[in-house]
Every structure is written in structure tokens, then in C-alpha cells.
Amino acid sequence: MYFAALLARTEDGWEASDTELDDVETLSDLADLAREANPDEDTVLVLIEQEDAWFGVVRVDGEDDPRIYVSDAAAAARSAYGELLLTDELLGREPGSDGPDLDALDLDGTEDGESEDDDEDGASADSVPHSPVGDSEILDDLGVSEKELRALDAEDALGTIAEALGASEVLETVR
């Protein structure tokens, strides 16, 4: 189960709206959706969570490029909404790389897709980490430090973030 909401900062505080991400196909679409939520070009946060597995925050400040934080990249990679956030740049990959080039694989008899480059955990160099990725300082100026953000677990992260922003009541109205 997913939950997604927009928190837009206005002169009067934060305004929340729930949002459907079904029509959002790219990070650019998501940023446009956020900008539409606040025509004054102030800060808009897109908060996304998947039930106890991962959460993500996308911050859009006016026309600036969106800033992204994802609590568990590997968990998010298994989600359609998470895949929106996990850009090649965020994962430290070359743009357009979708993993190994199957035509370039040396089929040397290793089993089950294992390669000599796999580490002792069986994870390849192109795998997505089971750790946070992105801008962990995304909310520093709003009252949530990098350390606090990294310490949040997916179960109550969005509520904790909203509370620190003074927006917990408006977020609860859209839950």
C-alpha cells in the first residue's frame, strides 16, 4: 500500500494535498506536479511511502532541479513509484545504464547469473544498495537534520517529518 502527498509551503504555513501518482511517469512529471501545487514557486515536498518498506522525499523549490532522498534504495527499486525517484544520477550510474549489457556478458559457466565480479554477498556492482540514497540534507533548513532523517524508519517517517515542519495536522487530513 502506498501513500503520497504534497506539502506546499505558503505564507500561511503548510498546505497538504493527497496525490495520485498513476499518471506520473518520470521525475520531471513529478516535479511539474509539485510546481502546480504552489504557483508562488515556494517549497513543495512530495512525500511517498510504501507500507513499512521505504519512504522518499522530493523537494522542489521553484524552477530548481528536484532534490531527492530515498530511505532504502533496494526496497524502492521494487516499486513503480520508487523507480521514479531512483535516477541513474542518484544511484551513481552512467545515464541510460539499465544494468549489465547482456550482449557483453562472458558466459563462462557460472551458475544462476553469478559473475566473477559479484561480491561475497552475491550482489553485483550494478545492484541497488539496501541503504539511503540521495540528498540527506534535503530538510536541514526545515528542521530535520541529516542525522534525524537517516534515523527515521519507514513506519512513521512521514509523520515525524510533518511534525518537525509543523504540518502534522494538515498531513493527517489527507491520510
Side-chain angles (χ1 to χ4, degrees), residues 1-4 21 30 46-58 68-86 90 128-133 149 152-158 161 175:
M1 173 122 171
Y2 294 95
F3 172 73
L21 299 179
L30 187 61
V46 181
L47 305 174
I48 303 171
E49 69 180 1
Q50 181 183 3
E51 218 171 70
D52 301 340
W54 66 276
F55 71 93
V57 178
V58 178
I68 304 163
Y69 176 82
V70 176
S71 66
D72 183 334
R78 294 186 296 270
S79 148
Y81 297 137
E83 286 180 346
L84 282 174
L85 308 180
L86 297 175
L90 193 69
V128 179
H130 280 281
S131 63
V133 295
L149 185 63
L152 295 175
D153 67 358
E155 186 175 340
D156 61 352
L158 299 190
I161 290 169
R175 268 201 187 261

